[in-house]
Amino acid sequence: MGSGGREHALARKLAESPRLTELHAAPGNPGIAQLGSCHPVRADDAEGLLALARALAVELVVVGPEAPLVAGVADALRHGGIAVFGPSAGAARIEGSKRFAKDVLHATGVPTAESLAVARPPCVVKADGLAAGKGVFVCRTQAELDEALTAVSALGDRFVVEELLEGPELSVFAVCDGARAVGLPPARDFKRAFDGDDGPNTGGMGAYSPVPLAGVELADVVTTVHEPVLAELAERGTPFIGLLYAGLMLCEDGPRVLEFNCRFGDPETQAILPRLDGDLLGALAAAARGDLAGVALGSGENAAVTIVLAARDYPARGDSGSPIEGVAEAEAAGALVFHAGTALRGGTLVTNGGRILDVTATGATLAEARARAYAAAESIRFEGVRFRGDIAVEAASGATVG
Ligand code: AMP
Ligand code: GLY
């Protein structure tokens, strides 16, 4: 379910599985259409999705985006007898409500930013509900705080205030079956629109994997962050079955949780999945059955870098109808090109969104992957195409970033 670059990357990985018989997408996109059949049912149409899943006799639904999960699409499908990789509405609150997430973190003792009773700079103000990446305000000055308070009140009256932490960030995903968690290789994303982490926050302008962890082990993160949260959610009667995404900050006293998401990250997924060994489809199906015992998902010794090609005015505005050229050239150069916001008009591939394409390349090192990804990205053309030039530049130069 879904129509972006994350879903294209998922579809591609699932299509590699020897266990896949048929691949269907709702609604999908022109990239996914090259791997399976796309059906014009929107991700927020739970009844339509259940009817489609029954008509096709699908054996597993993998949900991409957060909004339908928070709205309860996984519950509707499960009640209809369809196996789903994706949490119930109750468990998806871990992303859908910052207050709920804080409450769970406090109950488990998993390290996070301290909540503050009074909003005073420096601090971070977060709207309680889903805000598509636009609900978090880092306030270093009183002027920034005033602006943030005005903005969060426009988003709704509930918000949280917490201490401002400093340090490199890291996304750690785990496939979860309600009790067990299988970690995926860590990734880092680039949220700001422009080079040097300048400009407004976006959905994400690029990503890379692996990330030097500065002495932190993936297995330890899964044990100290994901597992206690799974136990707490199960105890509350809302076990989490799906992808639990921990957004971490590596602070001097160890990793702390900034946020949880209840689904694969975009664009981190486009960098992580091409590195993954093993059968992702088998793992997601096992998680949906509540039986991840014995499942492991290794990754290659390689690296991957993903560059997001966006419309000129993204994130303020997207673009539609501009012809896209050079995708075949980029693929011939060895890159994977994922469709994030495209459409087909009379057989021509055109822009249709804010983030248009994601170009991923792998290599033996981050430097090699980065060079290949940029060479491929340069060969793609559409009116106003824009991408950051500094994705993974520090990590590829060997500077310690962990
Ligand atoms: P979130 O949606 O909670 O991940 O927040 C989006 C971004 O805001 C994060 O990726 C961080 O860059 C930043 N952020 C969130 N919480 C904090 C915090 N407590 N201290 C510093 N930066 C934060
Ligand atoms: N890349 C950040 C997110 O998916 O929320």
Side-chain angles (χ1 to χ4, degrees), residues 339-362:
H339 292 235
T342 71
L344 278 174
R345 297 245 172 99
T348 303
L349 188 69
V350 298
T351 58
N352 186 38
R355 292 188 288 176
I356 309 297
L357 295 167
D358 310 315
V359 177
T360 296
T362 54

Side-chain angles (χ1 to χ4, degrees), residues 36-69:
S37 313
C38 294
H39 303 268
V41 179
R42 292 201 325 263
D44 60 1
D45 175 7
E47 264 176 48
L49 288 162
L50 179 57
L52 179 67
R54 283 185 167 149
L56 297 170
V58 305
E59 289 167 292
L60 178 67
V61 175
V62 178
V63 184
E66 63 275 19
L69 290 167

Side-chain angles (χ1 to χ4, degrees), residues 80-304:
I82 307 288
V84 187
F85 182 78
S88 65
R93 289 181 74 202
I94 198 78
E95 173 166 4
S97 167
K98 299 276 188 199
R99 284 161 60 139
F100 177 79
K102 274 284 172 212
D103 192 48
V104 169
L105 283 165
H106 287 146
T108 53
V110 171
T112 182
E114 291 297 328
S115 297
L116 303 177
V118 182
R120 192 180 298 137
C123 66
V124 178
V125 177
K126 302 184 175 187
D128 186 48
L130 288 184
K134 298 188 189 89
V136 175
F137 302 87
V138 174
C139 309
R140 293 179 198 278
T141 63
Q142 186 64 44
E144 285 173 341
L145 177 58
D146 292 342
E147 221 173 284
L149 292 173
T150 310
V152 286
S153 47
L155 289 168
D157 50 357
R158 289 154 67 100
F159 60 91
V160 298
V161 183
E162 63 184 34
E163 72 179 308
L164 198 164
L165 300 173
E166 307 279 359
E169 289 181 45
L170 185 69
S171 306
V172 180
F173 300 175
V175 173
C176 302
D177 69 356
R180 282 163 289 228
V182 176
L184 303 188
R188 175 165 291 144
D189 77 339
F190 291 76
K191 290 202 168 74
R192 299 298 195 95
F194 306 123
D195 284 23
D197 287 333
D198 214 3
N201 268 325
T202 69
M205 295 296 291
Y208 67 87
S209 175
V211 183
L213 284 182
V216 180
E217 293 291 332
L218 171 64
D220 292 341
V221 173
V222 172
T223 314
T224 57
V225 174
H226 297 78
E227 286 175 1
V229 168
L230 290 183
E232 177 68 19
L233 289 173
E235 195 169 307
R236 292 177 184 221
T238 52
F240 188 99
I241 296 171
L243 194 288
L244 184 60
Y245 164 145
L248 304 174
M249 192 169 265
L250 299 177
C251 302
E252 272 174 14
D253 55 355
R256 296 220 231 163
V257 173
L258 296 182
E259 66 161 344
F260 286 113
N261 292 320
C262 67
R263 38 76 196 176
F264 284 90
D266 189 345
E268 294 100 312
T269 300
Q270 292 89 307
I272 292 172
L273 295 190
R275 298 189 54 229
L276 217 57
D277 294 333
D279 182 13
L280 183 69
L281 175 58
L284 302 190
R289 282 197 308 273
D291 184 18
L292 270 177
V295 173
L297 285 167
S299 58
E301 290 292 303
N302 58 353

